[in-house]
Amino acid sequence: FEACTAKIYHVIEPPLGQMYILSYLKKKMGKAISGKIIKSGIDFKNYYDLKKIIADYDPNFIGLRGMNYYKYFLHFTVNLIRQWGYMKYIAVGGPYATSAYKTLLNDENIDFAMIGEGEETCLNVVKCLMANEIEQIKDIAGVVMKERNAVLKTKMYFIDFL
């Protein structure tokens, strides 16, 4: 955000992971899906702009990348998104989700975490959401979610061809 750029070392990094995952989804699912990547400091510079983007686009699923350094910012943002009335699914992936999914899932505003490599995990999640097979999400490798306040463990998905 604008107010923070002078306070910390500010480098604009392209969202390569998100770009790869969305490209993978488009390759596998074609026109059956649409997606949008938005980056703080580029696409929105404050919470008002973020709220407008979400309201205008009205996504069925929001996936966020969480970095450990920005975990408080992530939780605050997810809380605001819920306060704005977004009641659909929110998942978090990235280093924070992979390294601290139990802490992450203490946040009641986050539906599940995607850990490890996200391409196949996200593809399978989107397929379940589109088929309205929400209960199947907990069985996807790379997904961790809560059930009756207990964190369910999953196996992590690894890309075989790297």
Side-chain angles (χ1 to χ4, degrees), residues 1-132:
F1 291 140
E2 293 171 323
C4 296
T5 58
K7 294 180 182 177
I8 59 173
Y9 181 65
H10 184 69
V11 176
I12 297 172
E13 298 173 359
L16 296 176
Q18 294 89 326
M19 292 165 63
Y20 183 72
I21 289 173
L22 185 56
S23 296
Y24 186 78
L25 291 174
K26 292 297 277 179
K27 179 180 178 183
K28 294 290 188 175
M29 302 185 79
K31 293 183 180 181
I33 66 155
S34 68
K36 184 176 218 168
I37 298 169
I38 60 172
K39 181 158 178 62
S40 62
I42 303 297
D43 300 300
F44 63 97
K45 297 191 188 265
N46 55 54
Y47 286 114
Y48 175 80
D49 293 344
L50 176 61
K51 181 180 180 181
K52 182 168 178 9
I53 291 168
I54 292 171
D56 290 347
Y57 191 68
D58 191 28
N60 290 317
F61 169 65
I62 294 177
L64 301 166
R65 178 191 65 154
M67 303 290 285
N68 291 311
Y69 184 77
Y70 295 109
K71 66 183 175 186
Y72 301 111
F73 172 70
L74 178 126
H75 288 287
F76 184 79
T77 302
V78 170
N79 183 285
L80 280 178
I81 291 170
R82 292 295 192 200
Q83 287 182 36
W84 297 333
Y86 184 83
M87 293 290 118
K88 298 171 190 170
Y89 297 95
I90 296 178
V92 177
Y96 176 41
T98 300
S99 65
Y101 58 82
K102 288 181 181 178
T103 302
L104 176 81
L105 290 173
N106 282 327
D107 188 332
E108 63 189 27
N109 296 305
I110 298 169
D111 295 302
F112 53 91
M114 292 189 283
I115 62 173
E117 301 300 331
E119 295 77 17
E120 285 294 321
T121 302
C122 198
L123 175 65
N124 291 324
V125 165
V126 169
K127 285 180 178 179
C128 284
L129 291 173
M130 290 177 72
N132 203 24

Side-chain angles (χ1 to χ4, degrees), residues 145-161:
M145 61 192 321
K146 284 190 290 194
E147 186 172 74
R148 294 189 189 111
N149 295 323
V151 175
L152 299 176
K153 186 87 163 125
T154 187
K155 44 183 216 179
M156 196 179 301
Y157 178 80
F158 291 98
I159 297 176
D160 295 334
F161 53 85

